[in-house]
DNA sequence: AAGTCGGTCAACCGCCTCCCG
DNA sequence: ACGGGAGGCGGTTGACCGACT
């Protein structure tokens, strides 16, 4: 007993759409101010097509907001960056490129970008560089920083998308006035990929942050500061409190925006964060784990052909932040 | 000129997720 | 809570076309 077909194929036309069929479909959708039920649309519109075929034709070709023409360099770079983070999630990638469809992006990837990466010695599956023995090399410090550059780029795109969709979003963290870009991005589609991203290849011992997340404790402070150093560029103290061991610092993100973080100073390797929630109403459990996961995101994407090396920023900043634990406000 | 090959892209297939009754 | 239907999604196919031999 096989799967029931999406629709009765008997008497239905297949293959390329004719201009007449296109016109019928467009007229029907325009006249009815929407497609309604795709399954019943062909019958109502007088098309001998299955509903899925109509939906595909509309979303991939006939939609008025479809952007035609070749992809720009910027679009291609963005697709590569997003693919590095999202993988083959074409719909999610397409959501970051207005007017482009998932099918179009998928085709571009399979016919151009994938081959280009291979030619440049980059594994298109995991975006790691091929080594001489054919395998892919593991993370280096420069890869780590480049990954964060990717993240920053994706953040910008997600912000743009969030602003477009802000009228439909009720999450307080997505409020336009919220200055915490990490949290805003975290709740975007791109952040979703990070929340779900497995800590593959990292054992608890070499992944102190994720371990701390599950146990409610901070992990190795040096590890945390090293990671945060990769994504933040320079800082200035705006407030300090010796009694509470908390210091507030303003960091410049890669794009130059101010990001305020709390620094938990401590001489011990592990610090309980039980008081965090009381000290900041904005930082709930989900945002804590979000930051943990962000910091714990495996560094395995090399975008060397797109980004400049930012090693200097990373090393200098992480050195400054020794013996401190950082939480976003 | 004819055949072959490779690239492109629209369209299809089937699985998955979500929503609604 | 559960099941079925509808839509969404990613992988794959195949027709078409141009370049090359």
């Amino acid at each position: 007993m096989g799967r029931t077909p999406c629709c009765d194929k008997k008497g239905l036309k297949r293959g390329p759409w004719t201009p007449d069929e296109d016109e019928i479909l467009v007229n029907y959708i325009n006249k009815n101010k929407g497609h309604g039920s795709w399954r019943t649309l062909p019958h109502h519109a007088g098309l001998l097509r299955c509903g899925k075929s109509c939906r595909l034709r509309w979303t991939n070709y006939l939609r008025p907001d479809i952007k035609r023409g070749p992809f720009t360099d910027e679009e291609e770079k963005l697709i590569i960056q997003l693919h590095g983070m999202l993988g083959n999630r074409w719909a999610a990638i397409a959501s970051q490129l207005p007017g482009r469809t998932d099918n179009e992006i998928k085709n571009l990837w399979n016919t151009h970008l994938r081959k280009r990466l291979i030619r440049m010695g980059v594994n298109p599956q995991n975006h790691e560089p091929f080594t001489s023995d054919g395998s892919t090399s593991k993370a280096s410090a420069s890869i780590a920083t480049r990954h964060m550059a990717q993240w920053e780029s994706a953040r910008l795109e997600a912000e743009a998308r969030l602003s477009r969709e802000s009228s439909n979003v009720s999450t307080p963290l997505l409020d336009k006035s919220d200055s915490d870009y990490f949290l805003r991005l975290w709740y975007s589609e791109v952040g979703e990929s990070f929340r779900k991203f497995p800590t593959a290849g990292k054992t608890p011992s070499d992944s102190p942050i994720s371990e701390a997340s599950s146990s409610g404790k901070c992990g190795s402070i040096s590890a945390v500061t090293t990671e945060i150093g990769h994504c933040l560029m320079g800082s200035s103290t705006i407030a300090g409190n010796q009694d509470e061991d908390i210091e507030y610092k303003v960091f410049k993100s890669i794009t130059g925006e101010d990001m305020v973080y709390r620094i938990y100073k401590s001489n011990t390797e592990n610090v309980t964060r039980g008081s965090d929630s009381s000290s900041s109403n904005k930082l709930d459990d989900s945002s804590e784990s979000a930051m943990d996961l962000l910091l714990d995101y495996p560094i395995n994407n090399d975008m060397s052909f797109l980004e400049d090396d930012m090693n200097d920023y990373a090393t200098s900043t992480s050195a400054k932040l020794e013996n401190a634990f950082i939480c976003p406000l």
Side-chain angles (χ1 to χ4, degrees), chain A residues 3 14 52-53 57 112:
Chain A
R3 153 178 291 270
R14 300 181 58 190
K52 267 193 172 184
S53 182
R57 183 64 179 170
H112 286 114

mmCIF file with all atom_site columns, all heavy atoms in Angstrom, chain A residues 3 14 52-53 57 112, chain B residues 8 10-15:
data_model
loop_
_atom_site.group_PDB
_atom_site.id
_atom_site.type_symbol
_atom_site.label_atom_id
_atom_site.label_alt_id
_atom_site.label_comp_id
_atom_site.label_asym_id
_atom_site.label_entity_id
_atom_site.label_seq_id
_atom_site.pdbx_PDB_ins_code
_atom_site.Cartn_x
_atom_site.Cartn_y
_atom_site.Cartn_z
_atom_site.occupancy
_atom_site.B_iso_or_equiv
_atom_site.pdbx_formal_charge
_atom_site.auth_seq_id
_atom_site.auth_comp_id
_atom_site.auth_asym_id
_atom_site.auth_atom_id
_atom_site.pdbx_PDB_model_num
ATOM 1   N N     . ARG A 1 3   ? 1.929  5.364  -0.642  1.00 0.00 ? 3   ARG A N     1
ATOM 2   C CA    . ARG A 1 3   ? 1.482  6.666  -0.168  1.00 0.00 ? 3   ARG A CA    1
ATOM 3   C C     . ARG A 1 3   ? 0.421  7.213  -1.107  1.00 0.00 ? 3   ARG A C     1
ATOM 4   O O     . ARG A 1 3   ? 0.505  7.059  -2.313  1.00 0.00 ? 3   ARG A O     1
ATOM 5   C CB    . ARG A 1 3   ? 2.699  7.582  -0.125  1.00 0.00 ? 3   ARG A CB    1
ATOM 6   C CG    . ARG A 1 3   ? 2.415  9.033  -0.287  1.00 0.00 ? 3   ARG A CG    1
ATOM 7   C CD    . ARG A 1 3   ? 3.689  9.785  -0.180  1.00 0.00 ? 3   ARG A CD    1
ATOM 8   N NE    . ARG A 1 3   ? 4.196  9.718  1.185   1.00 0.00 ? 3   ARG A NE    1
ATOM 9   C CZ    . ARG A 1 3   ? 3.887  10.595 2.113   1.00 0.00 ? 3   ARG A CZ    1
ATOM 10  N NH1   . ARG A 1 3   ? 3.065  11.578 1.855   1.00 0.00 ? 3   ARG A NH1   1
ATOM 11  N NH2   . ARG A 1 3   ? 4.382  10.493 3.308   1.00 0.00 ? 3   ARG A NH2   1
ATOM 12  N N     . ARG A 1 14  ? 0.893  17.648 -17.251 1.00 0.00 ? 14  ARG A N     1
ATOM 13  C CA    . ARG A 1 14  ? 2.189  17.769 -16.600 1.00 0.00 ? 14  ARG A CA    1
ATOM 14  C C     . ARG A 1 14  ? 3.156  18.455 -17.557 1.00 0.00 ? 14  ARG A C     1
ATOM 15  O O     . ARG A 1 14  ? 2.832  18.736 -18.689 1.00 0.00 ? 14  ARG A O     1
ATOM 16  C CB    . ARG A 1 14  ? 2.714  16.383 -16.207 1.00 0.00 ? 14  ARG A CB    1
ATOM 17  C CG    . ARG A 1 14  ? 1.803  15.633 -15.256 1.00 0.00 ? 14  ARG A CG    1
ATOM 18  C CD    . ARG A 1 14  ? 2.400  14.308 -14.905 1.00 0.00 ? 14  ARG A CD    1
ATOM 19  N NE    . ARG A 1 14  ? 3.738  14.457 -14.298 1.00 0.00 ? 14  ARG A NE    1
ATOM 20  C CZ    . ARG A 1 14  ? 4.564  13.455 -14.076 1.00 0.00 ? 14  ARG A CZ    1
ATOM 21  N NH1   . ARG A 1 14  ? 4.238  12.250 -14.411 1.00 0.00 ? 14  ARG A NH1   1
ATOM 22  N NH2   . ARG A 1 14  ? 5.742  13.671 -13.526 1.00 0.00 ? 14  ARG A NH2   1
ATOM 23  N N     . LYS A 1 52  ? -0.378 21.192 -6.355  1.00 0.00 ? 52  LYS A N     1
ATOM 24  C CA    . LYS A 1 52  ? 1.039  21.387 -6.059  1.00 0.00 ? 52  LYS A CA    1
ATOM 25  C C     . LYS A 1 52  ? 1.756  22.047 -7.223  1.00 0.00 ? 52  LYS A C     1
ATOM 26  O O     . LYS A 1 52  ? 2.621  22.895 -7.038  1.00 0.00 ? 52  LYS A O     1
ATOM 27  C CB    . LYS A 1 52  ? 1.695  20.032 -5.772  1.00 0.00 ? 52  LYS A CB    1
ATOM 28  C CG    . LYS A 1 52  ? 1.723  19.667 -4.321  1.00 0.00 ? 52  LYS A CG    1
ATOM 29  C CD    . LYS A 1 52  ? 2.645  18.488 -4.103  1.00 0.00 ? 52  LYS A CD    1
ATOM 30  C CE    . LYS A 1 52  ? 2.844  18.239 -2.626  1.00 0.00 ? 52  LYS A CE    1
ATOM 31  N NZ    . LYS A 1 52  ? 3.813  17.157 -2.396  1.00 0.00 ? 52  LYS A NZ    1
ATOM 32  N N     . SER A 1 53  ? 1.393  21.598 -8.422  1.00 0.00 ? 53  SER A N     1
ATOM 33  C CA    . SER A 1 53  ? 2.020  22.158 -9.607  1.00 0.00 ? 53  SER A CA    1
ATOM 34  C C     . SER A 1 53  ? 1.699  23.647 -9.721  1.00 0.00 ? 53  SER A C     1
ATOM 35  O O     . SER A 1 53  ? 2.556  24.454 -10.078 1.00 0.00 ? 53  SER A O     1
ATOM 36  C CB    . SER A 1 53  ? 1.546  21.409 -10.852 1.00 0.00 ? 53  SER A CB    1
ATOM 37  O OG    . SER A 1 53  ? 2.174  21.914 -12.008 1.00 0.00 ? 53  SER A OG    1
ATOM 38  N N     . ARG A 1 57  ? 4.392  26.666 -9.577  1.00 0.00 ? 57  ARG A N     1
ATOM 39  C CA    . ARG A 1 57  ? 4.493  27.609 -10.687 1.00 0.00 ? 57  ARG A CA    1
ATOM 40  C C     . ARG A 1 57  ? 4.351  29.038 -10.174 1.00 0.00 ? 57  ARG A C     1
ATOM 41  O O     . ARG A 1 57  ? 5.076  29.927 -10.597 1.00 0.00 ? 57  ARG A O     1
ATOM 42  C CB    . ARG A 1 57  ? 3.412  27.301 -11.725 1.00 0.00 ? 57  ARG A CB    1
ATOM 43  C CG    . ARG A 1 57  ? 3.464  28.164 -12.971 1.00 0.00 ? 57  ARG A CG    1
ATOM 44  C CD    . ARG A 1 57  ? 4.748  27.933 -13.750 1.00 0.00 ? 57  ARG A CD    1
ATOM 45  N NE    . ARG A 1 57  ? 4.806  28.741 -14.963 1.00 0.00 ? 57  ARG A NE    1
ATOM 46  C CZ    . ARG A 1 57  ? 5.883  28.869 -15.713 1.00 0.00 ? 57  ARG A CZ    1
ATOM 47  N NH1   . ARG A 1 57  ? 6.986  28.234 -15.404 1.00 0.00 ? 57  ARG A NH1   1
ATOM 48  N NH2   . ARG A 1 57  ? 5.872  29.630 -16.785 1.00 0.00 ? 57  ARG A NH2   1
ATOM 49  N N     . HIS A 1 112 ? 26.628 26.346 -9.803  1.00 0.00 ? 112 HIS A N     1
ATOM 50  C CA    . HIS A 1 112 ? 27.745 27.293 -9.784  1.00 0.00 ? 112 HIS A CA    1
ATOM 51  C C     . HIS A 1 112 ? 28.555 27.256 -8.483  1.00 0.00 ? 112 HIS A C     1
ATOM 52  O O     . HIS A 1 112 ? 29.736 26.936 -8.475  1.00 0.00 ? 112 HIS A O     1
ATOM 53  C CB    . HIS A 1 112 ? 27.214 28.718 -9.980  1.00 0.00 ? 112 HIS A CB    1
ATOM 54  C CG    . HIS A 1 112 ? 26.792 29.015 -11.370 1.00 0.00 ? 112 HIS A CG    1
ATOM 55  N ND1   . HIS A 1 112 ? 25.482 29.270 -11.709 1.00 0.00 ? 112 HIS A ND1   1
ATOM 56  C CD2   . HIS A 1 112 ? 27.495 29.090 -12.513 1.00 0.00 ? 112 HIS A CD2   1
ATOM 57  C CE1   . HIS A 1 112 ? 25.406 29.501 -13.009 1.00 0.00 ? 112 HIS A CE1   1
ATOM 58  N NE2   . HIS A 1 112 ? 26.601 29.402 -13.524 1.00 0.00 ? 112 HIS A NE2   1
ATOM 59  P P     . DT  B 2 8   ? 26.009 26.409 -15.335 1.00 0.00 ? 8   DT  B P     1
ATOM 60  O OP1   . DT  B 2 8   ? 26.549 27.787 -15.321 1.00 0.00 ? 8   DT  B OP1   1
ATOM 61  O OP2   . DT  B 2 8   ? 26.190 25.517 -14.178 1.00 0.00 ? 8   DT  B OP2   1
ATOM 62  O "O5'" . DT  B 2 8   ? 24.447 26.504 -15.661 1.00 0.00 ? 8   DT  B "O5'" 1
ATOM 63  C "C5'" . DT  B 2 8   ? 24.045 27.043 -16.903 1.00 0.00 ? 8   DT  B "C5'" 1
ATOM 64  C "C4'" . DT  B 2 8   ? 22.549 26.935 -17.055 1.00 0.00 ? 8   DT  B "C4'" 1
ATOM 65  O "O4'" . DT  B 2 8   ? 22.190 25.582 -17.389 1.00 0.00 ? 8   DT  B "O4'" 1
ATOM 66  C "C3'" . DT  B 2 8   ? 21.740 27.295 -15.804 1.00 0.00 ? 8   DT  B "C3'" 1
ATOM 67  O "O3'" . DT  B 2 8   ? 20.843 28.326 -16.141 1.00 0.00 ? 8   DT  B "O3'" 1
ATOM 68  C "C2'" . DT  B 2 8   ? 21.041 26.004 -15.420 1.00 0.00 ? 8   DT  B "C2'" 1
ATOM 69  C "C1'" . DT  B 2 8   ? 20.988 25.258 -16.741 1.00 0.00 ? 8   DT  B "C1'" 1
ATOM 70  N N1    . DT  B 2 8   ? 20.936 23.769 -16.667 1.00 0.00 ? 8   DT  B N1    1
ATOM 71  C C2    . DT  B 2 8   ? 19.948 23.108 -17.342 1.00 0.00 ? 8   DT  B C2    1
ATOM 72  O O2    . DT  B 2 8   ? 19.083 23.666 -17.990 1.00 0.00 ? 8   DT  B O2    1
ATOM 73  N N3    . DT  B 2 8   ? 20.009 21.733 -17.225 1.00 0.00 ? 8   DT  B N3    1
ATOM 74  C C4    . DT  B 2 8   ? 20.942 20.991 -16.532 1.00 0.00 ? 8   DT  B C4    1
ATOM 75  O O4    . DT  B 2 8   ? 20.888 19.768 -16.502 1.00 0.00 ? 8   DT  B O4    1
ATOM 76  C C5    . DT  B 2 8   ? 21.956 21.751 -15.850 1.00 0.00 ? 8   DT  B C5    1
ATOM 77  C C7    . DT  B 2 8   ? 23.014 21.050 -15.068 1.00 0.00 ? 8   DT  B C7    1
ATOM 78  C C6    . DT  B 2 8   ? 21.908 23.097 -15.955 1.00 0.00 ? 8   DT  B C6    1
ATOM 79  P P     . DA  B 2 10  ? 13.678 28.604 -14.201 1.00 0.00 ? 10  DA  B P     1
ATOM 80  O OP1   . DA  B 2 10  ? 13.827 29.887 -14.902 1.00 0.00 ? 10  DA  B OP1   1
ATOM 81  O OP2   . DA  B 2 10  ? 13.822 28.523 -12.731 1.00 0.00 ? 10  DA  B OP2   1
ATOM 82  O "O5'" . DA  B 2 10  ? 12.275 27.958 -14.606 1.00 0.00 ? 10  DA  B "O5'" 1
ATOM 83  C "C5'" . DA  B 2 10  ? 12.077 27.554 -15.947 1.00 0.00 ? 10  DA  B "C5'" 1
ATOM 84  C "C4'" . DA  B 2 10  ? 11.362 26.219 -15.998 1.00 0.00 ? 10  DA  B "C4'" 1
ATOM 85  O "O4'" . DA  B 2 10  ? 12.247 25.163 -15.564 1.00 0.00 ? 10  DA  B "O4'" 1
ATOM 86  C "C3'" . DA  B 2 10  ? 10.120 26.128 -15.110 1.00 0.00 ? 10  DA  B "C3'" 1
ATOM 87  O "O3'" . DA  B 2 10  ? 9.097  25.477 -15.842 1.00 0.00 ? 10  DA  B "O3'" 1
ATOM 88  C "C2'" . DA  B 2 10  ? 10.582 25.294 -13.910 1.00 0.00 ? 10  DA  B "C2'" 1
ATOM 89  C "C1'" . DA  B 2 10  ? 11.641 24.399 -14.543 1.00 0.00 ? 10  DA  B "C1'" 1
ATOM 90  N N9    . DA  B 2 10  ? 12.716 23.973 -13.646 1.00 0.00 ? 10  DA  B N9    1
ATOM 91  C C8    . DA  B 2 10  ? 13.449 24.756 -12.799 1.00 0.00 ? 10  DA  B C8    1
ATOM 92  N N7    . DA  B 2 10  ? 14.369 24.094 -12.127 1.00 0.00 ? 10  DA  B N7    1
ATOM 93  C C5    . DA  B 2 10  ? 14.241 22.798 -12.576 1.00 0.00 ? 10  DA  B C5    1
ATOM 94  C C6    . DA  B 2 10  ? 14.928 21.611 -12.254 1.00 0.00 ? 10  DA  B C6    1
ATOM 95  N N6    . DA  B 2 10  ? 15.927 21.545 -11.382 1.00 0.00 ? 10  DA  B N6    1
ATOM 96  N N1    . DA  B 2 10  ? 14.552 20.480 -12.882 1.00 0.00 ? 10  DA  B N1    1
ATOM 97  C C2    . DA  B 2 10  ? 13.542 20.539 -13.765 1.00 0.00 ? 10  DA  B C2    1
ATOM 98  N N3    . DA  B 2 10  ? 12.820 21.591 -14.152 1.00 0.00 ? 10  DA  B N3    1
ATOM 99  C C4    . DA  B 2 10  ? 13.224 22.708 -13.510 1.00 0.00 ? 10  DA  B C4    1
ATOM 100 P P     . DA  B 2 11  ? 7.636  25.385 -15.289 1.00 0.00 ? 11  DA  B P     1
ATOM 101 O OP1   . DA  B 2 11  ? 6.735  25.461 -16.450 1.00 0.00 ? 11  DA  B OP1   1
ATOM 102 O OP2   . DA  B 2 11  ? 7.494  26.328 -14.163 1.00 0.00 ? 11  DA  B OP2   1
ATOM 103 O "O5'" . DA  B 2 11  ? 7.589  23.918 -14.698 1.00 0.00 ? 11  DA  B "O5'" 1
ATOM 104 C "C5'" . DA  B 2 11  ? 7.888  22.832 -15.554 1.00 0.00 ? 11  DA  B "C5'" 1
ATOM 105 C "C4'" . DA  B 2 11  ? 8.018  21.564 -14.740 1.00 0.00 ? 11  DA  B "C4'" 1
ATOM 106 O "O4'" . DA  B 2 11  ? 9.255  21.615 -13.988 1.00 0.00 ? 11  DA  B "O4'" 1
ATOM 107 C "C3'" . DA  B 2 11  ? 6.901  21.310 -13.721 1.00 0.00 ? 11  DA  B "C3'" 1
ATOM 108 O "O3'" . DA  B 2 11  ? 6.207  20.139 -14.098 1.00 0.00 ? 11  DA  B "O3'" 1
ATOM 109 C "C2'" . DA  B 2 11  ? 7.628  21.147 -12.381 1.00 0.00 ? 11  DA  B "C2'" 1
ATOM 110 C "C1'" . DA  B 2 11  ? 9.069  20.885 -12.795 1.00 0.00 ? 11  DA  B "C1'" 1
ATOM 111 N N9    . DA  B 2 11  ? 10.094 21.335 -11.855 1.00 0.00 ? 11  DA  B N9    1
ATOM 112 C C8    . DA  B 2 11  ? 10.262 22.597 -11.359 1.00 0.00 ? 11  DA  B C8    1
ATOM 113 N N7    . DA  B 2 11  ? 11.273 22.710 -10.523 1.00 0.00 ? 11  DA  B N7    1
ATOM 114 C C5    . DA  B 2 11  ? 11.809 21.434 -10.481 1.00 0.00 ? 11  DA  B C5    1
ATOM 115 C C6    . DA  B 2 11  ? 12.902 20.892 -9.780  1.00 0.00 ? 11  DA  B C6    1
ATOM 116 N N6    . DA  B 2 11  ? 13.677 21.598 -8.960  1.00 0.00 ? 11  DA  B N6    1
ATOM 117 N N1    . DA  B 2 11  ? 13.173 19.583 -9.966  1.00 0.00 ? 11  DA  B N1    1
ATOM 118 C C2    . DA  B 2 11  ? 12.385 18.874 -10.790 1.00 0.00 ? 11  DA  B C2    1
ATOM 119 N N3    . DA  B 2 11  ? 11.332 19.274 -11.502 1.00 0.00 ? 11  DA  B N3    1
ATOM 120 C C4    . DA  B 2 11  ? 11.096 20.578 -11.299 1.00 0.00 ? 11  DA  B C4    1
ATOM 121 P P     . DC  B 2 12  ? 5.006  19.608 -13.254 1.00 0.00 ? 12  DC  B P     1
ATOM 122 O OP1   . DC  B 2 12  ? 3.998  19.108 -14.213 1.00 0.00 ? 12  DC  B OP1   1
ATOM 123 O OP2   . DC  B 2 12  ? 4.632  20.577 -12.222 1.00 0.00 ? 12  DC  B OP2   1
ATOM 124 O "O5'" . DC  B 2 12  ? 5.662  18.339 -12.534 1.00 0.00 ? 12  DC  B "O5'" 1
ATOM 125 C "C5'" . DC  B 2 12  ? 6.427  17.425 -13.304 1.00 0.00 ? 12  DC  B "C5'" 1
ATOM 126 C "C4'" . DC  B 2 12  ? 7.083  16.411 -12.387 1.00 0.00 ? 12  DC  B "C4'" 1
ATOM 127 O "O4'" . DC  B 2 12  ? 8.158  17.041 -11.663 1.00 0.00 ? 12  DC  B "O4'" 1
ATOM 128 C "C3'" . DC  B 2 12  ? 6.143  15.803 -11.352 1.00 0.00 ? 12  DC  B "C3'" 1
ATOM 129 O "O3'" . DC  B 2 12  ? 6.284  14.383 -11.378 1.00 0.00 ? 12  DC  B "O3'" 1
ATOM 130 C "C2'" . DC  B 2 12  ? 6.614  16.390 -10.035 1.00 0.00 ? 12  DC  B "C2'" 1
ATOM 131 C "C1'" . DC  B 2 12  ? 8.085  16.672 -10.303 1.00 0.00 ? 12  DC  B "C1'" 1
ATOM 132 N N1    . DC  B 2 12  ? 8.667  17.792 -9.505  1.00 0.00 ? 12  DC  B N1    1
ATOM 133 C C2    . DC  B 2 12  ? 9.812  17.568 -8.728  1.00 0.00 ? 12  DC  B C2    1
ATOM 134 O O2    . DC  B 2 12  ? 10.315 16.443 -8.705  1.00 0.00 ? 12  DC  B O2    1
ATOM 135 N N3    . DC  B 2 12  ? 10.330 18.594 -8.019  1.00 0.00 ? 12  DC  B N3    1
ATOM 136 C C4    . DC  B 2 12  ? 9.762  19.794 -8.068  1.00 0.00 ? 12  DC  B C4    1
ATOM 137 N N4    . DC  B 2 12  ? 10.307 20.770 -7.362  1.00 0.00 ? 12  DC  B N4    1
ATOM 138 C C5    . DC  B 2 12  ? 8.598  20.043 -8.858  1.00 0.00 ? 12  DC  B C5    1
ATOM 139 C C6    . DC  B 2 12  ? 8.092  19.025 -9.543  1.00 0.00 ? 12  DC  B C6    1
ATOM 140 P P     . DC  B 2 13  ? 5.337  13.453 -10.563 1.00 0.00 ? 13  DC  B P     1
ATOM 141 O OP1   . DC  B 2 13  ? 5.062  12.264 -11.385 1.00 0.00 ? 13  DC  B OP1   1
ATOM 142 O OP2   . DC  B 2 13  ? 4.225  14.262 -10.020 1.00 0.00 ? 13  DC  B OP2   1
ATOM 143 O "O5'" . DC  B 2 13  ? 6.255  13.016 -9.336  1.00 0.00 ? 13  DC  B "O5'" 1
ATOM 144 C "C5'" . DC  B 2 13  ? 7.557  12.502 -9.598  1.00 0.00 ? 13  DC  B "C5'" 1
ATOM 145 C "C4'" . DC  B 2 13  ? 8.221  12.109 -8.294  1.00 0.00 ? 13  DC  B "C4'" 1
ATOM 146 O "O4'" . DC  B 2 13  ? 8.772  13.293 -7.672  1.00 0.00 ? 13  DC  B "O4'" 1
ATOM 147 C "C3'" . DC  B 2 13  ? 7.268  11.480 -7.275  1.00 0.00 ? 13  DC  B "C3'" 1
ATOM 148 O "O3'" . DC  B 2 13  ? 7.884  10.334 -6.725  1.00 0.00 ? 13  DC  B "O3'" 1
ATOM 149 C "C2'" . DC  B 2 13  ? 7.058  12.577 -6.230  1.00 0.00 ? 13  DC  B "C2'" 1
ATOM 150 C "C1'" . DC  B 2 13  ? 8.337  13.388 -6.333  1.00 0.00 ? 13  DC  B "C1'" 1
ATOM 151 N N1    . DC  B 2 13  ? 8.184  14.851 -6.048  1.00 0.00 ? 13  DC  B N1    1
ATOM 152 C C2    . DC  B 2 13  ? 9.083  15.487 -5.190  1.00 0.00 ? 13  DC  B C2    1
ATOM 153 O O2    . DC  B 2 13  ? 9.980  14.830 -4.666  1.00 0.00 ? 13  DC  B O2    1
ATOM 154 N N3    . DC  B 2 13  ? 8.934  16.806 -4.958  1.00 0.00 ? 13  DC  B N3    1
ATOM 155 C C4    . DC  B 2 13  ? 7.959  17.497 -5.553  1.00 0.00 ? 13  DC  B C4    1
ATOM 156 N N4    . DC  B 2 13  ? 7.859  18.797 -5.296  1.00 0.00 ? 13  DC  B N4    1
ATOM 157 C C5    . DC  B 2 13  ? 7.033  16.864 -6.439  1.00 0.00 ? 13  DC  B C5    1
ATOM 158 C C6    . DC  B 2 13  ? 7.187  15.550 -6.648  1.00 0.00 ? 13  DC  B C6    1
ATOM 159 P P     . DG  B 2 14  ? 6.966  9.249  -5.982  1.00 0.00 ? 14  DG  B P     1
ATOM 160 O OP1   . DG  B 2 14  ? 7.446  7.906  -6.376  1.00 0.00 ? 14  DG  B OP1   1
ATOM 161 O OP2   . DG  B 2 14  ? 5.533  9.610  -6.120  1.00 0.00 ? 14  DG  B OP2   1
ATOM 162 O "O5'" . DG  B 2 14  ? 7.372  9.492  -4.460  1.00 0.00 ? 14  DG  B "O5'" 1
ATOM 163 C "C5'" . DG  B 2 14  ? 8.746  9.547  -4.129  1.00 0.00 ? 14  DG  B "C5'" 1
ATOM 164 C "C4'" . DG  B 2 14  ? 8.937  10.221 -2.789  1.00 0.00 ? 14  DG  B "C4'" 1
ATOM 165 O "O4'" . DG  B 2 14  ? 8.723  11.654 -2.936  1.00 0.00 ? 14  DG  B "O4'" 1
ATOM 166 C "C3'" . DG  B 2 14  ? 7.964  9.766  -1.687  1.00 0.00 ? 14  DG  B "C3'" 1
ATOM 167 O "O3'" . DG  B 2 14  ? 8.673  9.709  -0.482  1.00 0.00 ? 14  DG  B "O3'" 1
ATOM 168 C "C2'" . DG  B 2 14  ? 6.947  10.903 -1.644  1.00 0.00 ? 14  DG  B "C2'" 1
ATOM 169 C "C1'" . DG  B 2 14  ? 7.876  12.078 -1.886  1.00 0.00 ? 14  DG  B "C1'" 1
ATOM 170 N N9    . DG  B 2 14  ? 7.248  13.333 -2.280  1.00 0.00 ? 14  DG  B N9    1
ATOM 171 C C8    . DG  B 2 14  ? 6.142  13.495 -3.077  1.00 0.00 ? 14  DG  B C8    1
ATOM 172 N N7    . DG  B 2 14  ? 5.811  14.747 -3.247  1.00 0.00 ? 14  DG  B N7    1
ATOM 173 C C5    . DG  B 2 14  ? 6.755  15.455 -2.524  1.00 0.00 ? 14  DG  B C5    1
ATOM 174 C C6    . DG  B 2 14  ? 6.913  16.840 -2.333  1.00 0.00 ? 14  DG  B C6    1
ATOM 175 O O6    . DG  B 2 14  ? 6.220  17.766 -2.781  1.00 0.00 ? 14  DG  B O6    1
ATOM 176 N N1    . DG  B 2 14  ? 8.017  17.125 -1.516  1.00 0.00 ? 14  DG  B N1    1
ATOM 177 C C2    . DG  B 2 14  ? 8.850  16.172 -0.963  1.00 0.00 ? 14  DG  B C2    1
ATOM 178 N N2    . DG  B 2 14  ? 9.858  16.623 -0.210  1.00 0.00 ? 14  DG  B N2    1
ATOM 179 N N3    . DG  B 2 14  ? 8.713  14.872 -1.134  1.00 0.00 ? 14  DG  B N3    1
ATOM 180 C C4    . DG  B 2 14  ? 7.649  14.589 -1.924  1.00 0.00 ? 14  DG  B C4    1
ATOM 181 P P     . DC  B 2 15  ? 8.227  8.689  0.653   1.00 0.00 ? 15  DC  B P     1
ATOM 182 O OP1   . DC  B 2 15  ? 8.955  7.432  0.430   1.00 0.00 ? 15  DC  B OP1   1
ATOM 183 O OP2   . DC  B 2 15  ? 6.751  8.686  0.790   1.00 0.00 ? 15  DC  B OP2   1
ATOM 184 O "O5'" . DC  B 2 15  ? 8.856  9.399  1.936   1.00 0.00 ? 15  DC  B "O5'" 1
ATOM 185 C "C5'" . DC  B 2 15  ? 10.160 9.953  1.839   1.00 0.00 ? 15  DC  B "C5'" 1
ATOM 186 C "C4'" . DC  B 2 15  ? 10.250 11.231 2.635   1.00 0.00 ? 15  DC  B "C4'" 1
ATOM 187 O "O4'" . DC  B 2 15  ? 9.559  12.295 1.946   1.00 0.00 ? 15  DC  B "O4'" 1
ATOM 188 C "C3'" . DC  B 2 15  ? 9.624  11.145 4.035   1.00 0.00 ? 15  DC  B "C3'" 1
ATOM 189 O "O3'" . DC  B 2 15  ? 10.581 11.573 4.995   1.00 0.00 ? 15  DC  B "O3'" 1
ATOM 190 C "C2'" . DC  B 2 15  ? 8.410  12.061 3.966   1.00 0.00 ? 15  DC  B "C2'" 1
ATOM 191 C "C1'" . DC  B 2 15  ? 8.810  13.049 2.874   1.00 0.00 ? 15  DC  B "C1'" 1
ATOM 192 N N1    . DC  B 2 15  ? 7.676  13.665 2.140   1.00 0.00 ? 15  DC  B N1    1
ATOM 193 C C2    . DC  B 2 15  ? 7.542  15.057 2.117   1.00 0.00 ? 15  DC  B C2    1
ATOM 194 O O2    . DC  B 2 15  ? 8.374  15.750 2.721   1.00 0.00 ? 15  DC  B O2    1
ATOM 195 N N3    . DC  B 2 15  ? 6.498  15.600 1.450   1.00 0.00 ? 15  DC  B N3    1
ATOM 196 C C4    . DC  B 2 15  ? 5.620  14.820 0.820   1.00 0.00 ? 15  DC  B C4    1
ATOM 197 N N4    . DC  B 2 15  ? 4.607  15.395 0.167   1.00 0.00 ? 15  DC  B N4    1
ATOM 198 C C5    . DC  B 2 15  ? 5.742  13.394 0.827   1.00 0.00 ? 15  DC  B C5    1
ATOM 199 C C6    . DC  B 2 15  ? 6.774  12.868 1.489   1.00 0.00 ? 15  DC  B C6    1
#
